Amino acid sequence: MSKKAKQIVRDFYRSDILRDDTVMERFFHPELVLIWNSANGLSIMNYEDIINFFGEVRRSYNDLRIEVSHLLADDNHVTIRYKYYIRTMENPDEELGIAHFIAIWEVKDDKLYRGYQVSHPVADKDDTNESYHRVKV
């Protein structure tokens, strides 16, 4: 592997997926599969599904910010814990936390290849001031 897996995952999550049209091609393997457990149940998404998902995100949000607390690597597998914040088109002055995530990525050919992700919507009782300090990124 020419680039370290941890750096590839870090670079993806630091990228501006809302405004940079090259992000998906640069970071997603053509055979990508994401297995995602969310409050809505299990979703298994392939490359085209992910492209369509982020297309909808681009249409829905004015800004997307990530706060990463953990980024851990073991060879070509990387685990990341993070929270997404958004600003909507209707209210660009208000930033809202939308969900907490933990994902494990397998990197192949310097791209995100297999992902296993769990997410949970933000709740009123979230203690993000204490739980999202940077631990290992």
Side-chain angles (χ1 to χ4, degrees):
M1 185 170 302
S2 61
K3 286 178 80 175
K4 289 192 171 199
K6 185 175 181 178
Q7 187 62 46
I8 292 166
V9 172
R10 178 184 288 126
D11 290 347
F12 168 67
Y13 283 95
R14 286 182 175 170
S15 68
D16 187 354
I17 200 155
L18 292 185
R19 293 171 190 81
D20 184 349
D21 291 333
T22 70
V23 169
M24 292 178 266
E25 183 179 323
R26 286 187 294 129
F27 289 100
F28 295 159
H29 194 283
E31 297 171 8
L32 178 141
V33 174
L34 174 63
I35 300 169
W36 184 355
N37 293 90
S38 73
N40 296 325
L42 177 69
S43 298
I44 300 175
M45 303 170 82
N46 62 29
Y47 181 88
E48 288 301 319
D49 297 328
I50 296 290
I51 298 296
N52 293 336
F53 172 79
F54 279 110
E56 186 60 33
V57 168
R58 285 177 168 177
R59 286 186 290 280
S60 300
Y61 301 126
N62 194 40
D63 189 42
L64 181 67
R65 181 175 68 83
I66 188 170
E67 185 174 33
V68 175
S69 67
H70 294 74
L71 185 64
L72 309 168
D74 182 15
D75 194 29
N76 65 330
H77 289 87
V78 180
T79 302
I80 185 167
R81 177 178 178 252
Y82 60 100
K83 180 178 178 182
Y84 268 132
Y85 296 84
I86 55 97
R87 292 179 191 271
T88 63
M89 303 286 185
E90 298 80 15
N91 192 2
D93 294 331
E94 182 182 19
E95 182 178 69
L96 302 169
I98 57 168
H100 304 276
F101 295 84
I102 293 179
I104 302 168
W105 284 105
E106 178 183 352
V107 175
K108 179 180 174 183
D109 303 327
D110 292 341
K111 296 188 179 208
L112 303 179
Y113 175 65
R114 290 283 180 271
Y116 308 89
Q117 179 167 275
V118 177
S119 64
H120 190 275
V122 168
D124 290 338
K125 294 183 180 183
D126 286 349
D127 180 13
T128 58
N129 291 333
E130 295 299 322
S131 65
Y132 275 83
H133 63 282
R134 291 184 181 198
V135 175
K136 187 165 181 138
V137 290

